[in-house]
């Protein structure tokens, strides 16, 4: 893994200077499976080290995805950068959650996903203040918001989860209104749909109109 990490650092160094989509995709596709195999063999005995290594590779992949854009601002987001950012976020949150959950750290596993979501939102917010293009910064924030939906699903249940998703919908609606960013409306609709689906499947399903609900207070709150 150390040898592969050195090769990855070298590739990232090239990507800071050259806009080579094939190298970014190739570096991820060749190194990520090796990373997962190493983590699978290591995390049971050295969990902290495994999480640190996973976080370090996440940083490298982020630089591989958008490092060039930070150095030479571009107007449009490349599809390759968007896919790499998304795949990297899934790798960080998913693998970290599995390692912690399998190690009987269920609360820490949920906290890990929350931290991953926060890291992406903060990185995107930082990008808006730097030379990063608005498109790329918005993509990073969107990935963080998506992870936050998963984090809420892991951390909460019942009316609390409905409230959490509804609050995120309200925040995105405010963002859409303040910035005139129409894509924020998509997030608003998505979170409201999640909340409504949870109500109609858990708290107050349609058949409760004639069968009643398990907990009237929870149904009313949701």
């Amino acid at each position: 893994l150390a040898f592969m990490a050195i090769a990855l650092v070298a590739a990232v160094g090239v990507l800071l200077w050259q806009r080579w989509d094939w190298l970014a995709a190739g570096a991820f596709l060749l190194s990520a499976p090796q990373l997962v195999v190493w983590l699978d063999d290591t995390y049971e005995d050295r969990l902290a080290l495994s999480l640190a290594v996973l976080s370090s590779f996440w940083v490298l992949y982020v630089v591989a995805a958008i490092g060039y854009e930070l150095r030479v601002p571009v107007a449009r987001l490349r599809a390759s950068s968007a896919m790499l950012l998304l795949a990297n976020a899934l790798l960080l949150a998913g693998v970290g959650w599995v390692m912690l959950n399998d190690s009987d750290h269920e609360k820490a596993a949920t906290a890990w996903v929350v931290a991953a979501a926060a890291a992406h939102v903060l990185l995107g917010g930082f990008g808006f203040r730097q030379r990063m293009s608005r498109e790329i910064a918005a993509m990073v924030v969107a990935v963080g918001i998506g992870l936050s939906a998963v984090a809420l699903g892991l951390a909460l249940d019942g009316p609390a989860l409905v409230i959490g998703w509804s609050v995120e919908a309200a925040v995105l609606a405010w963002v859409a209104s303040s910035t005139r960013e129409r894509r924020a409306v998509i997030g608003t609709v998505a979170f409201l749909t999640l909340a409504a689906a949870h109500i109609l499947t858990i708290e107050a399903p349609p058949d409760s109109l004639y069968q009643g609900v398990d907990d009237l207070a929870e149904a009313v709150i949701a």
Side-chain angles (χ1 to χ4, degrees):
L1 185 73
F3 176 83
M4 191 265 291
I6 294 172
L8 179 60
V9 170
V12 170
V14 173
L15 287 167
L16 285 172
W17 295 96
Q18 299 290 338
R19 195 179 182 184
W20 290 349
D21 293 346
W22 62 269
L23 181 59
F28 181 83
L29 293 175
L30 289 174
S31 60
Q34 298 180 63
L35 172 63
V36 172
V37 170
W38 184 87
L39 292 172
D40 184 55
D41 293 336
T42 308
Y43 79 91
E44 292 182 355
D45 299 321
R46 292 177 289 179
L47 181 59
L49 174 64
S50 298
L51 293 173
V53 170
L54 176 61
S55 301
S56 299
F57 273 81
W58 171 75
V59 173
L60 286 174
Y61 292 138
V62 168
V63 177
I66 61 176
Y68 180 87
E69 282 81 355
L70 287 175
R71 190 179 69 84
V72 182
V74 295
R76 297 182 62 83
L77 173 66
R78 292 178 294 165
S80 60
S81 295
M83 293 299 294
L84 183 52
L85 283 171
L86 181 58
N88 188 27
L90 294 175
L91 178 70
L92 175 71
V95 174
W97 183 86
V98 169
M99 290 192 299
L100 286 164
N101 191 65
D102 285 352
S103 301
D104 297 325
H105 296 90
E106 296 180 1
K107 292 184 178 180
T110 300
W112 178 267
V113 180
V114 172
H120 282 85
V121 172
L122 291 174
L123 178 62
F126 173 79
F128 278 115
R129 294 176 175 273
Q130 303 301 314
R131 299 196 304 167
M132 185 190 300
S133 75
R134 186 180 182 86
E135 291 279 323
I136 297 171
M139 174 64 188
V140 178
V141 171
V143 170
I145 293 173
L147 286 177
S148 71
V150 177
L152 285 174
L154 293 171
L156 305 174
D157 57 15
L161 178 57
V162 175
I163 292 171
W165 280 337
S166 299
V167 168
E168 293 220 41
V171 171
L172 286 173
W174 175 80
V175 170
S177 175
S178 301
T179 65
R180 300 188 182 279
E181 177 58 69
R182 294 183 178 180
R183 285 169 296 186
V185 177
I186 298 174
T188 302
V189 173
F191 276 107
L192 286 178
T193 301
L194 285 172
H198 196 278
I199 294 171
L200 293 176
T201 57
I202 305 297
E203 281 82 23
D207 61 7
S208 64
L209 290 172
Y210 58 88
Q211 291 185 352
V213 294
D214 295 333
D215 191 315
L216 181 60
E218 288 190 359
V220 170
I221 293 171

